[in-house]
């Protein structure tokens, strides 16, 4: 029986969390393989043991650098608000970002392992109720915490995915580029150019392309241009070695980075700095890692999640398709036999959901209190 409840929330500022509540903070480290990661456990100013929320560490920021989970203002504010509401919160840095180890290119599988290790460390803390520790993650981390809950159903008490896509990483990237280009007011030919390059960027990282046919149709429609050169590079350059292929790709992407239609690709902020930093001996390894993450489909994890789920989506999200994602979340969790699922669509809200988003914070705390 489908137990999901799809709710639209609006009105009010959504934030009644006590910002001035007292709390204590403790530095806590934990290990993931050979790496030691740093974290901060925020505890309510009340007698424990406490239920706790592990905040999955952020991925890349808009500036192209990897976010620090410990010092990032968004995560710190979330932890303090949770403590003010009576819940412990743990935020942490990924490897290479305030923690030991090389950041490199992390796969979603690696991020899953990080959040599971963080969860286990919090569960062992003397101030925490081991059976009441759950996971919170926004955007990419919604995939991560779902994967963790599927992998360790007996350890994850609940998950709270925020702005998570119900479609694969590859499909979400292309959908988001098209939606953001449309929202920017671009005309159809420019939207098609951006969408084409988005599909080509995905297939460039895969051994088995996903968007070849769609990209071929767009190239034929758009005619000559850098997109045609990139199409040839992606699909018809077997004679080139990895280093030459990468070099030519960087040249093409650099030539279009300032075009208005290429802004949703985030070439200057994300792709080009990463590509320029790749050493020749790393190319194949990094291609395999990025390709692995692009093929992640939340269906594989959500159909195995049996812990309580509170999923938030913004009605006006242009990074992932809210209506479709919400329906897929409900479908996949129903297939898992999960009878404790609440799906909330916030009216007038986009991808960046925060405690001030109408209907968000009060619903989150109410849901936690009920459990």
């Amino acid at each position: 029986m489908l137990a999901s409840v799809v709710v639209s929330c609006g009105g009010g500022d959504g934030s009644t969390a006590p910002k001035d509540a007292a709390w204590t903070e403790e530095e806590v480290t934990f290990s993931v393989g050979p790496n030691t990661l740093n974290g901060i456990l925020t505890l309510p100013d009340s007698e424990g043991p406490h239920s706790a929320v592990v905040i999955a560490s952020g991925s890349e920021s808009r500036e192209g650098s990897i976010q620090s989970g410990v010092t990032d203002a968004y995560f710190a504010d979330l932890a303090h608000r949770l403590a003010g509401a009576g819940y412990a919160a743990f935020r942490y840095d990924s490897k290479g970002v305030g923690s030991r180890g090389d950041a490199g290119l992390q796969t979603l599988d690696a991020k899953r392992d990080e959040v599971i290790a963080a969860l286990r460390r919090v569960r062992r803390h003397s101030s925490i109720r081991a059976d009441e520790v759950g996971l919170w993650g926004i955007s990419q981390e919604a995939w991560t915490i779902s994967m963790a809950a599927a992998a360790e159903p007996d350890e994850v008490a609940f998950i709270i995915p925020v702005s998570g896509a119900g479609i694969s990483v590859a499909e979400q990237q292309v959908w988001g580029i098209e939606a953001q280009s449309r929202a920017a007011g671009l005309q159809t030919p420019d939207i098609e150019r951006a969408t084409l390059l988005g599909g080509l960027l995905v297939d460039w990282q895969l051994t088995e392309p996903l968007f070849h046919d769609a990209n071929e149709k767009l190239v034929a429609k758009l005619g000559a241009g850098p997109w045609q050169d990139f199409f040839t590079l992606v699909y018809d350059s077997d004679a080139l070695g990895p280093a030459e292929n990468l070099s030519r790709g960087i040249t093409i992407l650099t030539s279009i980075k300032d075009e208005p239609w290429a802004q949703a690709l985030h070439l200057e902020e994300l792709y080009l700095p990463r590509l320029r930093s790749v050493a020749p001996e790393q190319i194949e390894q990094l291609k395999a890692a990025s390709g692995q993450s692009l093929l992640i489909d939340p269906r594989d994890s959500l159909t195995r999640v049996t812990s309580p789920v509170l999923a938030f989506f913004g009605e006006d999200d242009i990074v992932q398709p809210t209506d479709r994602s919400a329906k897929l979340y409900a479908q996949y969790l129903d297939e898992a036999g999960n009878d404790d699922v609440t799906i909330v669509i916030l009216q007038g809200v986009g991808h960046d959901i925060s405690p001030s988003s109408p209907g968000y914070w009060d619903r989150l705390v109410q849901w936690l209190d009920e459990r």
Side-chain angles (χ1 to χ4, degrees), residues 172-184 186 190-191 193-195 197-198 201 256-271 318-319:
Q172 180 267 329
Q173 286 195 11
V174 177
W175 186 94
I177 289 168
E178 180 178 0
Q180 291 164 50
S181 298
R182 198 175 303 280
L186 298 182
D190 283 343
I191 294 172
R193 292 184 181 102
T195 303
L197 261 294
L201 281 167
I256 65 172
K257 66 181 178 64
D258 295 323
E259 295 288 346
W261 57 266
Q263 297 313 297
L265 300 170
H266 302 290
L267 297 175
E268 192 64 58
E269 306 97 316
L270 296 178
Y271 276 100
I318 55 173
V319 176

Side-chain angles (χ1 to χ4, degrees), residues 11-35:
D13 68 1
S15 177
T16 59
K19 300 179 184 179
D20 56 351
W23 59 77
T24 60
E25 293 195 321
E26 175 184 339
E27 293 185 4
V28 176
T29 62
F30 63 100
S31 298
V32 184
N35 301 305

Side-chain angles (χ1 to χ4, degrees), residues 46-99:
S46 58
E47 186 176 353
H50 305 285
S51 304
V53 179
V54 174
I55 300 169
S57 180
S59 56
E60 288 179 330
S61 71
R62 291 184 180 84
E63 290 73 36
S65 59
I66 300 177
Q67 291 178 336
S68 167
V70 168
T71 61
D72 184 85
Y74 181 95
F75 295 137
D77 180 58
L78 175 61
H80 297 158
R81 288 174 180 270
L82 284 167
Y87 298 94
F90 183 66
R91 64 193 194 272
Y92 61 91
D93 290 335
S94 288
K95 64 175 183 176
V97 189
S99 293

Side-chain angles (χ1 to χ4, degrees), residues 102-182:
D102 180 15
L105 176 62
Q106 281 194 293
T107 65
L108 289 180
D109 285 342
K111 299 286 284 183
R112 174 205 60 203
D113 293 343
E114 277 190 3
V115 76
I116 289 174
L119 173 92
R120 289 173 175 167
R121 179 63 183 90
V122 172
R123 280 167 54 92
R124 295 196 306 269
H125 196 280
S126 60
S127 297
I128 301 301
R129 291 196 55 165
D131 60 337
E132 294 185 0
V133 182
L135 308 174
W136 177 99
I138 189 168
S139 193
Q140 182 189 91
E141 305 312 322
W143 281 312
T144 303
I145 65 172
S146 298
M147 293 164 66
E152 301 296 342
D154 295 331
E155 297 189 56
V156 178
F158 57 84
I159 61 170
I160 305 174
V162 180
S163 299
I167 57 180
S168 72
V169 177
E171 189 177 359
Q172 180 267 329
Q173 286 195 11
V174 177
W175 186 94
I177 289 168
E178 180 178 0
Q180 291 164 50
S181 298
R182 198 175 303 280

Side-chain angles (χ1 to χ4, degrees), residues 306-371:
T306 54
S307 56
V309 177
L310 171 63
F312 286 99
F313 298 93
E315 180 184 43
D316 300 332
D317 198 331
I318 55 173
V319 176
Q320 60 80 34
T322 282
D323 286 344
R324 185 179 174 194
S325 290
K327 290 175 182 176
L328 288 173
Y329 260 66
Q331 174 188 328
Y332 296 155
L333 290 165
D334 182 48
E335 291 178 21
N338 195 326
D339 60 0
D340 191 348
V341 178
T342 302
I343 297 175
V344 181
I345 299 177
L346 302 172
Q347 296 176 347
V349 177
H351 189 71
D352 296 327
I353 295 174
S354 72
S356 62
S357 298
Y360 169 64
W361 186 257
D362 289 344
R363 190 57 185 267
L364 186 154
V365 174
Q366 177 189 3
W367 187 85
L368 287 173
D369 289 346
E370 290 171 353
R371 279 146 190 82

Side-chain angles (χ1 to χ4, degrees), residues 212-229:
H212 177 275
D213 292 347
N215 290 339
E216 188 173 45
K217 290 178 182 178
L218 282 175
V219 165
K221 181 179 180 180
L222 293 169
W227 43 85
Q228 191 174 57
D229 297 333

